[in-house]
């Protein structure tokens, strides 16, 4: 049994979708960012970074979205393509999502990670629509078929999870036709609808 | 034949070490950040992100350090552990390096990515010693043996590459005894010494 520690509508949404898609046995342990659960001792003992997700496995705890996604894919034998190059393209997009797309978004609400100055944090917030739009333009250019790397994969799940934040970040996904269509394909999946309902 | 596009002493150092460790056939195509090569049309055609590394394979171009590292590991059958859980721990550290450790460092010289305000960028620079120290403390806590996940892997290579920047970021690695010893183990490897000499 796997236990996913998740907060609603955070990046843990991605690991939740992957679990729901694969049919692996799992349970969700919800934590609340509003209540600061991620900084309480019980949670920090699981994940000293104070972030989500944390995936508790029989072998130990895993953190970081790309790692939890690929663990779910690898242990289920699903959601990764067949060739080494296509797998690398999946990992390229996971890395882009976690190191650039998500980091751009984080400068809206989490600027205190990188500056102690409130006025400086406000200048970061102001730039978020621009950096998120640049990320969308990059991904739009990368999408050549229905999915990131041939077949549906964990890379599509990670992209979709961050695209759900675009409206709040001041970006209209309709400006990116291929990414917009990708969003629609993701929303049409039964597993994604179930997870979306659970996150409310 | 693989061709790695690299700039000296950047994060492309990691992919360079992995190639040198595995014995795969490769060549280096040096580009100069000082000359702005990464933003010239020829390079942007390879990597529209204008960053390094870019690894040209027979199947196409790969970017993002975690993806290039694991492609080198997977195609060589080296530098990754034997179990799914240990592989996940390698990917967890790769993700941490690219999304947090490297991003903390980037706020020293690349603040313009996230704020257009020069004074705000200066406040980001001021916090870099603190955020890099926090990353070192996290990794110090994670290191329980000689290597990140059992055997020597691409995760050790990624950690080491960023640790080479610590002195310039105002952090004394000697304050983290396990990480310091890890740094010494890495420097003692013949492949790492050859790559270090090449980067000058």
């Amino acid at each position: 049994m796997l236990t996913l520690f998740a907060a609603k509508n955070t990046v843990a949404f991605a690991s939740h979708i992957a679990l729901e898609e694969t049919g692996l046995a799992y349970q969700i342990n919800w934590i609340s960012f509003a209540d600061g659960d991620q900084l309480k001792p019980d949670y920090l003992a699981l994940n000293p970074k104070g972030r989500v997700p944390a995936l508790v496995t029989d072998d130990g705890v895993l953190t970081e979205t790309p790692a939890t996604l690929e663990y779910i894919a690898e242990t289920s034998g699903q959601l990764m393509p067949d060739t080494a190059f296509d797998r690398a393209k999946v990992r390229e997009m996971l890395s882009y999502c976690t190191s650039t797309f998500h980091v751009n978004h984080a400068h809206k609400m989490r600027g205190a990670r990188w500056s102690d100055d409130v006025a400086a944090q406000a200048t970061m917030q102001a730039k978020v629509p621009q950096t998120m739009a640049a990320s969308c333009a990059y991904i739009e250019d990368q999408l050549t078929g229905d999915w990131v790397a041939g077949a549906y994969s964990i890379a599509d799940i990670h992209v979709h999870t961050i695209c759900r934040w675009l409206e709040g970040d001041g970006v209209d996904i309709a400006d990116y036709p291929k990414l917009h269509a990708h969003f629609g394909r993701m929303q049409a999946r039964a597993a994604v609808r179930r997870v979306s309902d659970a996150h409310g």
Side-chain angles (χ1 to χ4, degrees), chain A:
Chain A
M1 173 71 85
L2 298 166
T3 301
L4 178 68
F5 284 74
K8 291 187 175 181
N9 296 304
T10 62
V11 76
F13 187 86
S15 302
H16 195 174
I17 292 177
L19 288 165
E20 189 69 16
E21 289 278 12
T22 56
L24 291 175
Y26 77 96
Q27 59 188 8
I28 297 285
N29 193 317
W30 294 109
I31 69 171
S32 166
F33 276 18
D35 294 340
D37 289 343
Q38 78 274 24
L39 300 176
K40 292 177 180 171
D42 283 359
Y43 188 74
L44 290 175
L46 276 180
N47 181 1
K49 290 175 278 197
R51 309 234 187 135
V52 289
L55 183 68
V56 181
T57 79
D58 292 341
D59 295 310
V61 180
L62 295 173
T63 64
E64 302 283 331
T65 293
T68 58
L69 287 176
E70 190 154 357
Y71 180 81
I72 293 163
E74 185 168 346
T75 55
S76 69
Q78 300 174 56
L79 299 176
M80 279 292 273
D82 292 332
T83 71
F85 184 78
D86 282 347
R87 282 191 290 276
K89 294 304 280 187
V90 166
R91 293 173 187 132
E92 176 184 71
M93 186 60 79
L94 295 176
S95 176
Y96 182 77
C97 282
T98 202
S99 69
T100 303
F101 200 17
H102 192 158
V103 168
N104 287 341
H105 167 79
H107 282 76
K108 185 172 69 173
M109 299 295 286
R110 306 291 184 193
R113 288 179 184 163
W114 304 290
S115 172
D116 295 327
D117 186 282
V118 174
Q121 293 165 20
T123 71
M124 297 180 197
Q125 288 185 327
K127 199 173 170 72
V128 168
Q130 180 185 333
T131 60
M132 292 301 273
S135 285
C136 288
Y138 167 73
I139 298 171
E140 178 79 2
D141 188 53
Q142 294 295 302
L143 283 173
T144 55
D146 282 358
W147 306 112
V148 167
Y152 177 60
S153 76
I154 52 177
D156 299 291
I157 293 171
H158 203 167
V159 166
H160 180 67
T161 296
I162 300 177
C163 283
R164 295 174 80 243
W165 305 334
L166 287 174
E167 187 177 352
D169 287 349
V171 175
D172 184 354
I173 196 171
D175 291 341
Y176 307 90
K178 292 187 286 182
L179 191 58
H180 195 199
H182 182 272
F183 198 85
R185 275 189 291 279
M186 289 297 300
Q187 284 188 309
R189 297 186 67 86
V192 175
R193 283 200 304 273
R194 289 194 298 273
V195 171
S196 187
D197 288 346
H199 285 249

